[in-house]
Amino acid sequence: MKPHILFSFLIAICVSQSSSQTLSGRNLKITTIHAPPFVIVNNNISQSRFGDRYEGILVDIISKIASQANFTYDMHVVSDNAYGFETTPGQWTGMIGEVVDNVADIAAAPLTIASTRAGVITFTQPIMDAGVRILFKKPTTSTYNQSLLILLSPFTTGLWFMILASFVVASLIFFAIGKLSPYEELQDNPHVGDDIPLTTTLINAFIYTISSFMHQERAGVPRSSSGRIMSIFWWIFTTLVFTTFAANFTAFLLVRPPDIRTIPFMSFDELSKQTEVKFGTLSRGYTNYYFSKSKRPLEQRLWKKMSSDATLLCNTMSEGIARVRKGNYAFIMEGPSAEYYSGQYPCDTMVIGQPLDDRAYGFACGQNSDVCTLLNPYILRLKQNGYLANRKRKWMKSYQCSFGGKNEIKIRGSPVIDVFGISGIRLETQLSFNRFSAALFILLGGVVLSLVVLGGEIFYVSKFGLPQK
């Protein structure tokens, strides 16, 4: 072969390869699904927000890349309106099936980048983080104008019962000291004078405990060392109760709004341990697969409860959201979708919990296609210049019930997000037994010490008798 012919042949090959490694001039077929706010399919264009049949975050991104890379595209909705799952080995339904069968070049939807899917398709660079969150009905039970509940709200019910039990125990200890300690009957105790004995009756013991609790003077006071030690520790305990109650009650009145609504859980961990609210996820899809295959204890606890009752799993996203709005049901779904739906009319849902896992959305292409590889530089460029974040803000802020944007409330490290900007939703962080246990242990220490001293007093008097005048 002549040199110039060989040179021309090599140039032709290089030009051919170069042209095949660019998106310029191509017409790409894109399969999608109606999944607001990522892809919104408007059957009635007159009702669309911007006058287009296809709108949303991913549509804006595809349009931007198309203008930069100089390619055109035709978008259509997948016939079975599904993301896609494997029915038999190598056979996939939905958008993934169309990409695998080369019916479409790109699947543009909130598709989670997953290893199970990567075996048959390729993904672009991540477009958006999509960790799972909890969609829950906005609580309606309020303690506003319920004065009794407001007064009891600083402490949990269990702690109130512990304080009542402490009052009863302290009264019985005072009564026992009054009956058993020989020094309580010593009328001429120089340190007490002519004070009335502490525990003439059980009623006197209760009255003394109440008066001490309310910091009121009482004629009957302990005459023995054991009784005085018990009194000191009881005073310390009552002081801690009053100061803690005052601090928490002040927070309820000043820091919190008057309309206080309760949430039965604030994290995935608490959701898995409570029994009041039922919860579930989609019956198919990556979220379902993630929980069923996870080896982490938290995910296993959640999956055990969800899989124990098939009715807890929903066939569609709309079904899950409808069940949330009926009440007593929490829907586990991907975070961006949860935030979007919680901002839609009738404005009665909210998002709870930090993302449970690290996952992201991406465009999907065929394994033998170079489209995703060629899209990656443009996606990285749009991510760096803030275009992707801007698109998310644009569509996520299109709430039908937005009053100033979302409000994220962090309670003990876990966020409770009210996407409507309403500040009336709070989780009641009441003082629990665990957080008040130090004061209870102090009282317990006083009980033990006073009983030890009481035993010493009885032993001393039995050996040496009462002191004389």
Side-chain angles (χ1 to χ4, degrees), residues 68-270:
Q68 294 179 349
N70 192 30
F71 68 84
T72 59
Y73 63 90
D74 295 319
M75 185 173 286
H76 67 273
V77 178
V78 64
S79 58
D80 58 2
N81 199 39
Y83 289 87
F85 58 91
E86 192 174 22
T87 54
T88 58
Q91 297 297 318
W92 288 73
T93 62
M95 293 181 292
I96 297 178
E98 289 197 352
V99 172
V100 171
D101 297 336
N102 296 318
V103 176
D105 298 300
I106 303 173
L111 272 172
T112 303
I113 299 174
S115 59
T116 53
R117 294 170 174 171
V120 294
I121 57 177
T122 58
F123 287 98
T124 62
Q125 290 287 328
I127 297 172
M128 182 185 302
D129 294 331
V132 293
R133 311 289 292 277
I134 305 168
L135 187 69
F136 189 61
K137 184 176 177 64
K138 180 181 175 182
T140 56
T141 304
S142 174
T143 57
Y144 184 59
N145 287 334
Q146 300 179 29
S147 57
L148 179 60
L149 293 180
I150 285 290
L151 289 173
L152 297 178
S153 57
F155 295 159
T156 61
T157 304
L159 183 56
W160 279 117
F161 277 111
M162 287 302 302
I163 293 174
L164 179 62
S166 300
F167 165 77
V168 174
V169 170
S171 299
L172 295 176
I173 294 296
F174 281 124
F175 177 71
I177 291 174
K179 287 297 183 181
L180 299 178
S181 177
Y183 291 94
E184 290 296 334
E185 298 299 329
L186 191 60
Q187 297 296 325
D188 54 352
N189 191 325
H191 299 290
V192 180
D194 296 328
D195 284 334
I196 301 173
L198 169 63
T199 52
T200 305
T201 63
L202 183 60
I203 297 298
N204 284 351
F206 275 99
I207 292 175
Y208 175 76
T209 306
I210 293 174
S211 62
S212 299
F213 191 87
M214 303 302 296
H215 293 266
Q216 299 296 315
E217 292 186 2
R218 166 77 177 121
V221 294
R223 292 180 169 184
S224 63
S225 297
S226 56
R228 293 179 181 182
I229 290 173
M230 184 61 198
S231 294
I232 292 173
F233 280 91
W234 176 247
W235 293 337
I236 294 173
F237 175 77
T238 57
T239 301
L240 291 174
V241 170
F242 273 103
T243 54
T244 306
F245 179 87
N248 272 27
F249 192 60
T250 301
F252 264 76
L253 295 180
L254 299 181
V255 178
R256 297 168 182 264
D259 185 14
I260 302 171
R261 305 178 187 183
T262 59
I263 301 171
F265 57 88
M266 62 180 184
S267 67
F268 279 98
D269 182 62
E270 293 188 0

Side-chain angles (χ1 to χ4, degrees), residues 403-432:
F403 299 101
K406 71 180 182 181
N407 180 29
E408 182 172 353
I409 310 157
K410 288 192 175 181
I411 303 171
R412 295 198 292 274
S414 296
V416 176
I417 297 180
D418 171 12
V419 296
F420 337 110
I422 301 174
S423 60
I425 297 179
R426 294 292 189 274
L427 182 72
E428 295 188 35
T429 52
Q430 298 170 308
L431 193 67
S432 63

Side-chain angles (χ1 to χ4, degrees), residues 131-133 268 290-291 296 298-299 302 354-358:
V132 293
R133 311 289 292 277
F268 279 98
Y290 168 76
F291 280 105
R296 297 170 60 184
L298 174 56
E299 282 83 339
L302 291 166
Q354 295 175 332
L356 184 62
D357 61 340
D358 294 326

Side-chain angles (χ1 to χ4, degrees), residues 17 20-24 26 28 62 65 69 71 99 105-107 121-126 362-381:
Q17 290 180 346
S20 66
Q21 294 178 356
T22 180
L23 294 172
S24 179
R26 296 195 197 183
L28 303 179
I62 284 289
I65 296 176
F71 68 84
V99 172
D105 298 300
I106 303 173
I121 57 177
T122 58
F123 287 98
T124 62
Q125 290 287 328
F363 295 120
C365 311
Q367 277 194 322
N368 298 322
S369 172
D370 61 350
V371 173
C372 280
T373 302
L374 297 175
L375 287 175
N376 283 334
Y378 295 97
I379 293 174
L380 290 174
R381 193 177 300 120

